């Protein structure tokens, strides 16, 4: 599934082969959201999808915690830096996967079940803050990888 920004992208995102015009939607786990398969193809106005019970997603939902979309710019090397759509997409996937992994570990700990919901929410907000603070270092790695990838192709 795609998140179009313009009317043209909305149209293109529904045409097979042109769906990449709009950036994909990333779920809370850091994976791109896929349209459910159905017998009628794209003509079914009521797509059927079986429920998936994921303890991490269920707990985040129960506590009202969502994954925020990465901002359009971050402070990097002391100044505001605009992120490209590709970088924002990479942030959304990496941060969603990181949140999912860390919350999964928390749920497995015995201490998690002894906390009340307010304590759990505070812990998850703190976890979000830590992930957000890692953005400048993550951006440095992403841009360095992109630069070495480009220079490696030119050789």
């Amino acid at each position: 599934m795609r998140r179009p920004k313009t009317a043209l992208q909305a149209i293109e995102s529904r045409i097979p082969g042109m769906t990449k015009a709009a950036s994909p939607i990333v779920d809370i786990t850091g994976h791109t959201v896929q349209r459910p398969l159905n017998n009628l193809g794209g003509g079914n106005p009521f797509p059927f999808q079986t429920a998936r019970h994921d303890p991490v997603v269920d707990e985040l939902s129960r506590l009202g915690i969502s994954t925020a979309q990465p901002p359009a710019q971050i402070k990097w090397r002391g100044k505001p830096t605009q992120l490209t759509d590709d970088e924002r997409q990479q942030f959304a996937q990496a941060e969603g996967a990181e949140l999912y992994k860390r919350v999964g570990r928390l749920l497995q700990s015995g201490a998690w079940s002894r906390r009340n919901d307010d304590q759990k929410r505070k812990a998850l907000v703190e976890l979000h803050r830590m992930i957000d603070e890692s953005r400048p270092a993550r951006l440095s790695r992403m841009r360095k990888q992109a630069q070495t990838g480009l220079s490696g192709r030119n050789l």
Side-chain angles (χ1 to χ4, degrees), residues 26 30 67-74 76 81-98 131-132 134-143:
V26 177
T67 301
Q69 290 298 311
Q73 70 178 18
I74 64 170
W76 186 53
T81 303
Q82 198 70 20
L83 298 175
T84 65
D85 287 340
D86 189 45
E87 288 169 339
R88 291 186 74 221
Q89 183 69 28
Q90 289 179 41
F91 272 127
Q93 289 176 325
E95 291 174 2
E98 182 71 18
I131 290 171
D132 289 351
S134 72
R135 283 182 180 148
R138 188 174 284 125
L139 181 62
S140 293
R141 285 191 304 273
M142 285 174 16
R143 289 192 173 174

Side-chain angles (χ1 to χ4, degrees), residues 6 15 32-33 35 46 48 52 64 75-77 79 86-87 93 101 109 119 125 131 137 143-144 151:
T6 66
I15 299 171
T32 56
V33 176
R35 287 192 192 281
F46 306 105
F48 176 80
R52 293 183 212 131
K75 192 167 188 173
W76 186 53
R77 296 182 177 170
K79 57 184 173 184
D86 189 45
E87 288 169 339
Q93 289 176 325
K101 181 177 72 174
S109 73
Q119 292 169 327
V125 166
I131 290 171
R143 289 192 173 174
K144 186 176 181 178
S151 64

Side-chain angles (χ1 to χ4, degrees), residues 3-4 9-11 16 27 37 46 91 98 105 108 123 145:
R3 180 172 284 124
Q9 283 183 350
I11 293 167
D27 68 11
L37 298 175
F46 306 105
F91 272 127
E98 182 71 18
R105 279 193 235 138
Q108 292 175 352
Q145 286 174 348

Side-chain angles (χ1 to χ4, degrees), residues 83-135:
L83 298 175
T84 65
D85 287 340
D86 189 45
E87 288 169 339
R88 291 186 74 221
Q89 183 69 28
Q90 289 179 41
F91 272 127
Q93 289 176 325
E95 291 174 2
E98 182 71 18
L99 178 69
Y100 184 87
K101 181 177 72 174
R102 288 186 181 194
V103 172
R105 279 193 235 138
L106 283 172
L107 289 177
Q108 292 175 352
S109 73
W112 187 256
S113 60
R114 291 189 296 274
R115 294 179 179 183
N116 65 38
D117 284 352
D118 285 337
Q119 292 169 327
K120 290 176 182 179
R121 278 187 201 92
K122 285 179 185 175
L124 293 174
V125 166
E126 178 63 18
L127 183 56
H128 262 295
R129 187 190 61 73
M130 289 170 36
I131 290 171
D132 289 351
E133 287 178 354
S134 72
R135 283 182 180 148

